[in-house]
């Protein structure tokens, strides 16, 4: 009997516990539903990204989603007309989406995201059957394409950081602010929005004019490592990232591996001086071509072999003589050559952004992988690869007196009350050259701009030092007769403070670093110089129109990747290159396809594109 009472008591207690849990869950869901589905105790509004002067580059605002439940809609035409007027959508589009979702037996779908909360309030007061509202956070990039390849973007979920600064510093931007726990901490960058604007303005125009494959540009304070501007083309609008391709979004300043060409001759000059391999005033003869084994290297001018005659080391740099620098560098042992280039950071990441940012380390072959031709190709910047940020860092160490400064983009973490929580520090190490060697090479770079291959980089009222580069691109089958052209410059040359690298990958016509990259450097400096000299001036950057995306390169034998494309653009590609039946599921932009990209077209009889207007 006692045993039965104990069992009954246990069952009653268990029932009561379950009842309490159930009621608690019901209360939670009730209040959670009434509050728009958000748990305010844990919700954090993503922090802002600011430039060095506090200009907003990325911010998050609260918005709404208007959703429809097709089974509950009583008069679809009436509803489409009402919502179309307020949401600036065509009623026919709304009706098509309702019909499409009914056919697919979908009970609920999003009609429009990022709706202003006041407008959403007005719509909900109409109490239209089948119309729902959800709360969402909306990430905005006020300057649209400005610094887009650097900033990156987030997905629909504000915690889903997908690329760029947004991803690299996601933990900071989503960390609750001690001063305002519902907001994330803000990240202030070293980027100057006006310098960024001017760099993109000139780089983008030249990128279009030269019909380049891609372009990159960096401005850096060479004493602190602060990146003041970093631009890449093609670019995109992160507010509509779903309309872009991975190629458009690439930050080529940290990802592009390329053979640098003649820009590295300044390092060769430094090595020769450091090793005492060249006597003052000694001359090297250039008859336009040098032979080794079955290979030749030539000096060319407007496509023709050009003999420079007898040149001193400064003249070799000034005129960018291939034959002269190769002959001189044969006096430096392989071990010493490798030592200096390794100490300059070639073959190593710069650490400009946190690990996982996509920065590559270039390629500098280990000594055991050198072949007899290596010591002939490397002095002219072939046979190894660098990244733009890596090259500018090494070059800056020659211009700033000998310090290899670690470049950085994040300046400090700040709370909503303006308190600095974490501040970036300057880290540097000495380069492998003496102060005298650095100074002598800087003088050679001044000659390049005064009367050498870089005269187009001259800027009225300020002295410039720099070096041009025209590196031939290679593949597994050899060199391709395609070029990466660049200019690396420093100003003011008497006491350099800023460094800039301008680069174009491929292009039409007889292009070179001196003819394409150097003029861009000059125009950018001319634009930003007054601003630098009066840095208290408050100027807001203008608006840049997004560049037109060039037609996709389509291989008719392989199925193209249509994801992210508008339906009409995808249909045009299919009709132009494939000529097979196509079926559309939904409307708007392609988010999936069947068969998958890369499929053999000989086996494809139909293409199905899955579309969503909100992707």
């Amino acid at each position: 009997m006692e045993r039965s009472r104990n069992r009954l008591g246990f069952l009653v207690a268990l029932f009561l516990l379950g009842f309490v849990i159930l009621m608690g869950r019901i209360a939670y869901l009730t209040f959670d539903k009434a509050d728009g589905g958000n748990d305010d105790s844990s919700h954090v509004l993503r922090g802002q990204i600011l430039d060095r002067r506090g200009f907003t580059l990325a911010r998050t605002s609260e918005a709404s989603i208007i959703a429809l439940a097709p089974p509950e809609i009583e008069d679809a035409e009436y509803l489409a007309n009402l919502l179309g007027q307020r949401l600036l959508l065509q009623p026919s589009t709304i009706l098509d989406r309702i019909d499409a979702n009914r056919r697919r037996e979908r009970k609920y779908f999003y009609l429009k995201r990022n709706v202003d909360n006041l407008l959403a309030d007005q719509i909900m007061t109409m109490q239209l059957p089948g119309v729902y509202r959800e709360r969402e956070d909306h990430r905005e990039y006020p300057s649209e394409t400005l610094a887009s390849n650097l900033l990156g973007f987030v997905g629909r979920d504000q915690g889903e950081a997908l690329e760029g600064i947004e991803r690299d510093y996601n933990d900071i931007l989503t960390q609750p602010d001690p001063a305002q726990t519902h907001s994330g901490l803000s990240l202030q960058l070293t980027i100057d929005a006006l310098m960024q604007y001017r760099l993109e303005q000139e780089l983008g125009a030249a990128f279009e004019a030269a019909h380049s494959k891609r372009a990159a540009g960096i401005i850096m304070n060479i004493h602190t490592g602060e990146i003041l501007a970093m631009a890449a083309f093609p670019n995109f609008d992160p507010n509509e990232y779903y309309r872009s391709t991975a190629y458009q979004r690439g930050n080529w300043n940290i990802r592009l591996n390329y053979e640098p060409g003649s820009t590295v001759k300044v390092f060769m000059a430094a090595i020769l001086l450091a090793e005492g391999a060249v006597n003052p005033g000694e001359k090297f003869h250039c008859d336009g071509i040098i032979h080794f084994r079955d290979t030749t290297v030539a000096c060319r001018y407007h496509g023709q072999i050009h003999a420079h005659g007898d040149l001193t080391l400064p003249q070799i740099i000034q005129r960018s003589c291939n034959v002269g620098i190769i002959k001189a560098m044969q006096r430096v042992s392989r071990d010493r050559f490798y030592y200096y280039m390794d100490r300059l950071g070639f073959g190593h990441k710069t650490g400009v952004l946190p690990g996982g940012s996509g920065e590559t380390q270039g390629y500098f072959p280990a000594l055991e992988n050198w072949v007899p031709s290596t010591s002939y190709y490397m002095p002219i910047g072939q046979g190894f690869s660098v990244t733009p940020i890596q090259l500018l860092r090494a070059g800056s160490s020659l211009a700033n007196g000998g310090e290899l400064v670690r470049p950085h983009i994040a300046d400090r973490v700040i709370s909503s009350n303006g308190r600095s929580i974490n501040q970036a520090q300057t880290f540097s190490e000495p380069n492998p050259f003496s102060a005298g060697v650095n100074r002598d090479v800087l003088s050679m770079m001044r000659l390049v701009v005064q009367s050498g291959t870089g005269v187009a980089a001259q800027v009225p009222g300020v002295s410039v030092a720099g070096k041009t580069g025209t590196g031939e691109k290679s593949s597994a089958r050899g060199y391709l007769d395609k070029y990466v052209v660049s200019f690396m410059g420093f100003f003011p040359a008497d006491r350099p403070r800023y460094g800039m690298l301008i680069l174009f990958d491929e292009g039409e016509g007889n292009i070179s670093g001196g003819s394409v990259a150097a003029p861009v450097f000059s125009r950018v400096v001319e634009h930003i110089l007054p601003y630098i000299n009066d840095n208290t001036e408050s100027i807001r950057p203008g608006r840049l129109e997004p560049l037109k995306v060039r037609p996709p390169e389509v291989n008719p034998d392989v199925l193209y990747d249509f994801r992210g494309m508008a339906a009409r653009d995808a249909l045009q590609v299919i009709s132009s290159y494939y000529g097979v039946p196509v079926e559309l599921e939904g409307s708007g932009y392609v988010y999936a396809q069947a068969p998958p990209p890369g499929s053999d077209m000989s086996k494809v009889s139909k293409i199905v594109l899955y579309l969503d207007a909100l992707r």
Side-chain angles (χ1 to χ4, degrees):
M1 188 73 178
E2 183 68 25
R3 192 171 174 185
S4 298
R5 278 200 300 270
N6 289 340
R7 183 179 300 167
L8 180 61
F10 174 77
L11 291 174
V12 170
L14 189 63
F15 174 79
L16 288 173
L17 177 62
F19 180 78
V20 169
I21 293 173
L22 178 62
M23 293 305 294
R25 181 62 179 164
I26 291 172
Y28 169 80
L29 291 174
T30 300
F31 289 113
D32 186 61
K33 179 78 171 177
D35 195 37
N38 292 324
D39 180 4
D40 285 342
S41 64
S42 61
H43 178 68
V44 175
L45 208 64
R46 191 177 186 85
Q48 296 186 88
I49 301 177
L50 310 170
D51 89 328
R52 66 188 299 106
R53 299 175 190 277
F55 180 82
T56 302
L57 298 172
R59 65 185 173 215
T60 296
S61 60
E62 294 177 312
S64 297
I65 303 171
I66 298 300
L68 300 182
E72 301 175 26
I73 295 172
E74 296 175 357
D75 188 335
E77 189 171 343
Y78 174 72
L79 180 142
N81 284 321
L82 281 179
L83 293 184
Q85 294 172 12
R86 289 158 179 79
L87 297 177
L88 302 180
L89 296 173
Q90 289 292 331
S92 59
T93 301
I94 298 175
L95 283 172
D96 288 344
R97 296 204 64 205
I98 293 171
D99 291 341
N101 281 279
R102 278 176 172 165
R103 287 196 303 272
R104 286 187 277 176
E105 298 183 351
R106 288 178 63 178
K107 297 181 179 180
Y108 190 83
F109 71 93
Y110 288 166
L111 178 63
K112 189 170 184 179
R113 304 182 71 108
N114 187 30
V115 177
D116 180 79
N117 282 339
L118 180 60
L119 175 58
D121 288 340
Q122 293 171 351
I123 290 173
M124 296 313 294
T125 58
M126 299 166 67
Q127 297 184 335
L128 298 168
V131 178
Y132 290 86
R133 175 232 199 126
E134 291 186 19
R135 305 276 183 173
E136 73 168 346
D137 294 339
H138 174 63
R139 193 64 163 173
E140 297 175 291
Y141 303 89
S143 294
E144 299 176 349
T145 61
L146 190 77
S148 58
N149 302 67
L150 174 63
L151 294 174
F153 56 91
V154 299
R156 293 180 178 180
D157 179 355
Q158 294 294 289
E160 185 188 13
L162 299 176
E163 287 189 20
I165 292 285
E166 294 277 28
R167 180 190 61 196
D168 299 337
Y169 293 95
N170 185 60
D171 290 347
I172 289 172
L173 294 167
T174 56
Q175 182 178 332
D177 184 339
Q180 189 177 343
T181 54
H182 289 312
S183 295
L185 294 169
S186 291
L187 181 68
Q188 190 159 30
L189 305 181
T190 60
I191 297 296
D192 186 302
L194 182 69
M195 292 190 189
Q196 182 76 28
Y197 171 76
R198 291 303 190 187
L199 176 61
E200 290 192 21
Q201 185 182 44
E202 295 298 339
L203 189 70
F207 166 76
E208 287 285 278
H211 298 285
S212 294
K213 184 176 180 180
R214 54 192 151 198
I218 316 170
I219 305 174
M220 183 173 80
N221 182 320
I222 65 174
H223 295 280
T224 65
E226 294 170 294
I227 301 298
L228 302 172
M230 181 176 279
F233 287 94
N235 61 357
F236 71 107
D237 183 349
N239 295 297
E240 299 180 326
Y241 68 88
Y242 43 82
R243 298 189 180 191
S244 63
T245 64
Y247 185 76
Q248 285 175 266
R249 302 191 297 265
N251 184 354
W252 306 117
N253 292 283
I254 65 172
R255 295 183 182 179
L256 177 62
N257 288 286
Y258 71 102
E259 297 188 31
S262 293
T263 47
V264 303
K265 287 174 184 169
V266 295
F267 307 116
M268 304 303 116
I271 293 171
L272 289 165
L273 293 176
E275 289 290 288
V278 176
N279 297 320
E282 183 179 3
K283 293 186 177 182
F284 296 83
H285 183 71
C286 168
D287 56 10
I289 195 164
I290 186 171
H291 301 271
F292 51 94
R293 294 183 174 257
D294 338 349
T295 309
T296 60
V297 173
C299 291
R300 295 184 182 276
Y301 183 71
H302 292 310
Q304 302 297 317
I305 293 178
H306 177 73
H308 288 104
D310 293 329
L311 301 176
T312 62
L313 182 59
Q315 290 171 330
I316 288 172
I317 302 304
Q318 178 187 17
R319 302 183 191 180
S320 201
C321 176
N322 289 338
V323 174
I325 201 68
I326 289 173
K327 286 183 175 180
M329 283 300 293
Q330 299 314 300
R331 299 179 179 182
V332 178
S333 71
R334 298 196 322 169
D335 290 351
R336 298 300 290 169
F337 192 168
Y338 182 88
Y339 163 79
Y340 286 111
M341 297 297 278
D342 181 65
R343 285 284 307 277
L344 285 166
F346 294 112
H348 305 283
K349 295 180 182 180
T350 66
V352 63
L353 288 166
S357 66
E359 181 184 8
T360 57
Q361 63 187 34
Y363 169 71
F364 197 79
L367 274 174
E368 58 266 26
N369 295 326
W370 286 34
V371 295
S373 61
T374 299
S375 59
Y376 284 83
Y377 278 122
M378 281 192 177
I380 59 171
Q382 307 281 178
F384 69 101
S385 64
V386 302
T387 62
I389 185 65
Q390 195 180 62
L391 184 69
L392 182 60
R393 178 189 183 227
S396 296
S397 76
L398 300 174
N400 68 17
E403 289 297 317
L404 270 167
V405 181
R406 181 190 298 173
H408 63 279
I409 290 171
D411 183 40
R412 61 182 184 134
V413 179
I414 53 179
S415 63
S416 57
N417 59 11
R419 186 170 66 88
S420 181
I421 294 175
N422 195 2
Q423 180 79 45
Q425 303 296 317
T426 297
F427 295 97
S428 66
E429 57 182 300
N431 76 4
F433 308 119
S434 68
V437 167
N438 291 310
R439 192 164 49 246
D440 289 345
V441 176
L442 181 61
S443 296
M444 296 179 198
M445 286 195 278
R446 294 187 70 171
L447 287 174
V448 171
V449 178
Q450 288 171 0
S451 55
T453 58
V455 290
Q458 292 177 2
V459 181
V462 63
S463 58
V464 173
K467 185 68 188 77
T468 56
T470 305
E472 190 172 3
K473 297 180 72 170
S474 63
S475 71
R477 293 173 293 177
Y479 285 93
L480 304 173
D481 198 26
K482 296 180 180 180
Y483 298 88
V484 177
V485 301
S486 60
F487 179 80
M488 176 174 62
F490 306 94
F491 66 98
D494 48 349
R495 296 185 67 183
R497 184 179 174 192
Y498 302 99
M500 189 190 313
L501 182 72
I502 302 294
L503 176 147
F504 296 94
D505 181 8
E506 297 184 22
E508 294 182 359
N510 186 22
I511 64 172
S512 66
S515 64
V516 178
V520 174
F521 174 95
S522 175
R523 290 193 294 269
V524 173
V525 174
E526 197 168 1
H527 279 309
I528 68 176
L529 204 56
Y531 178 61
I532 289 173
N533 292 336
D534 181 16
N535 59 18
T536 60
E537 187 178 2
S538 178
I539 304 175
R540 294 173 68 87
R543 181 179 180 276
L544 289 170
E545 293 289 338
L547 294 176
K548 294 179 180 178
V549 180
R550 297 194 184 95
E553 296 181 5
V554 180
N555 180 349
D557 299 324
V558 177
L559 185 59
Y560 188 72
D561 186 350
F562 298 103
R563 291 173 296 183
M565 293 181 72
R568 63 181 181 184
D569 294 335
L571 289 173
Q572 184 174 349
V573 171
I574 292 171
S575 63
S576 300
Y577 293 93
Y578 298 126
V580 298
V582 59
E583 181 179 318
L584 302 181
E585 290 282 342
S587 62
Y589 296 89
V590 181
Y591 69 88
Q593 67 185 77
S599 298
D600 183 350
M601 280 305 300
S602 65
K603 301 176 182 178
V604 175
S605 57
K606 183 176 76 169
I607 299 171
V608 181
L609 302 179
Y610 299 92
L611 309 167
D612 191 327
L614 298 169
R615 285 186 183 267

